[in-house]
Amino acid sequence: MFYLSMLTQYIGQYMKTRLQYRADMVVELLSDMLFQVTNLVFILVVFGHTQFLSGWSRDEIIFIYGFFLVPFAIFGAFFNIWDFNERYIVKGEMDRILTRPIHSLFQVILERMELESLFGAVTGIIIMGYASIQLGLNFQWYDFILFFVFVISGALVYAGIFVSLATIGFWSDARTSLMPMMYNIGNYGRYPVDIYNAAIRFVLTWILPFAFVGVYPAAFFLEKEEWYFYSFLTPVMGVGFFILSVFLWNAGVKRYRGAGN
């Protein structure tokens, strides 16, 4: 309850701060929407030259892309730690974090929230709705429960990978970071993995499991029975990778010696 209380208080303060500059927030939301629409246009351009891509139709890939946007939006809202190394390790703000009676990772998450990223989830649901109508998909009552589970699990996959990358800073205080490259690799999870070669499929499934953010869970709702095993493996991968990242974080905090000489 203490952590929940802290979360609600931080959210309240965050919203007060952001609403002081409404125009800035609106511009940011519009820019995010434009970026998402650009990616959607790319899919439409590709299918302007072909009807199927490795057996997947245009509307199926649009559905996958829409699904991907929902867990990605949750990740972006609560795990905006791409600059963790430079801000908290190199500049020493981790010293301040460790003086507070709350888990250090949770404190960093609270400080780096960007709740306007959640708007991407709305965009994703709209895109999924459009694709569902085009595909004539029928949903059962339990599909909405599974959707929630898959979305949270996908967000945890992303969080687990990027928190694990952030912990590298506890062992190396260099300013260079793998975060930008990993963000680009994560984009591959927006599309069906069977359009890639075997090596990339293996990496996106078992090493950097971005496929569990988009294509694998979305395949369940698209009734791709050959992918059902991976669909139901999504919660296991999400929880497993996130627990691993917390373990690495705790180990890194013990290794941390401060920003001083």
Side-chain angles (χ1 to χ4, degrees):
M1 293 301 296
F2 172 71
Y3 280 80
L4 180 60
S5 174
M6 290 291 296
L7 176 62
T8 55
Q9 290 182 52
Y10 263 84
I11 290 176
Q13 291 300 317
Y14 179 87
M15 293 306 299
K16 291 177 183 178
T17 302
R18 293 297 291 165
L19 290 175
Q20 288 181 344
Y21 306 96
R22 293 179 178 85
D24 179 67
M25 186 173 67
V26 170
V27 170
E28 187 170 345
L29 292 175
L30 291 176
S31 64
D32 288 344
M33 180 183 294
L34 180 62
F35 177 75
Q36 293 156 5
V37 169
T38 301
N39 289 320
L40 183 59
V41 169
F42 171 76
I43 295 174
L44 297 177
V45 169
V46 170
F47 279 93
H49 299 82
T50 182
Q51 292 184 343
F52 293 92
L53 187 61
S54 190
W56 298 83
S57 69
R58 184 196 69 171
D59 293 321
E60 287 175 335
I61 293 185
I62 290 175
F63 183 93
I64 294 171
Y65 174 65
F67 185 96
F68 171 88
L69 289 178
V70 182
F72 183 75
I74 295 175
F75 161 76
F78 295 101
F79 292 92
N80 181 32
I81 56 174
W82 63 271
D83 61 345
F84 172 79
N85 189 32
E86 181 171 352
R87 175 172 175 175
Y88 288 92
I89 304 298
V90 176
K91 295 183 178 180
E93 291 196 29
M94 195 66 190
D95 295 355
R96 170 179 55 81
I97 294 294
L98 294 176
T99 63
R100 297 177 176 177
I102 187 173
H103 193 275
S104 54
L105 176 58
F106 189 68
Q107 178 68 33
V108 171
I109 290 172
L110 293 179
E111 288 191 354
R112 303 296 292 146
M113 283 192 303
E114 287 191 0
L115 297 181
E116 58 270 24
S117 296
L118 291 174
F119 187 75
V122 177
T123 306
I125 291 173
I126 292 174
I127 292 174
M128 288 175 59
Y130 164 79
S132 298
I133 294 173
Q134 296 297 110
L135 293 167
L137 297 179
N138 295 314
F139 298 103
Q140 305 298 325
W141 65 267
Y142 53 80
D143 287 333
F144 298 98
I145 298 175
L146 289 174
F147 175 75
F148 177 80
V149 172
F150 288 159
V151 164
I152 297 301
S153 301
L156 289 178
V157 167
Y158 246 97
I161 292 173
F162 282 92
V163 170
S164 298
L165 286 177
T167 63
I168 296 175
F170 291 119
W171 283 271
S172 172
D173 58 0
R175 290 179 179 270
T176 56
S177 175
L178 296 173
M179 294 286 189
M181 180 183 70
M182 202 58 60
Y183 269 107
N184 291 329
I185 294 176
N187 291 333
Y188 287 95
R190 299 175 178 178
Y191 309 109
V193 291
D194 51 351
I195 69 175
Y196 309 122
N197 63 44
I200 295 178
R201 288 201 301 269
F202 180 82
V203 170
L204 292 176
T205 301
W206 305 114
I207 308 300
L208 301 171
F210 291 114
F212 289 96
V213 181
V215 60
Y216 287 151
F220 172 81
F221 302 104
L222 293 172
E223 300 178 351
K224 300 286 186 178
E225 295 184 4
E226 65 273 24
W227 299 104
Y228 278 6
F229 169 77
Y230 296 98
S231 298
F232 289 106
L233 192 61
T234 300
V236 177
M237 298 297 288
V239 173
F241 264 75
F242 187 71
I243 290 176
L244 175 63
S245 71
V246 174
F247 174 81
L248 293 174
W249 180 279
N250 291 336
V253 169
K254 293 178 181 178
R255 170 68 169 71
Y256 181 69
R257 293 293 180 268
N261 294 327

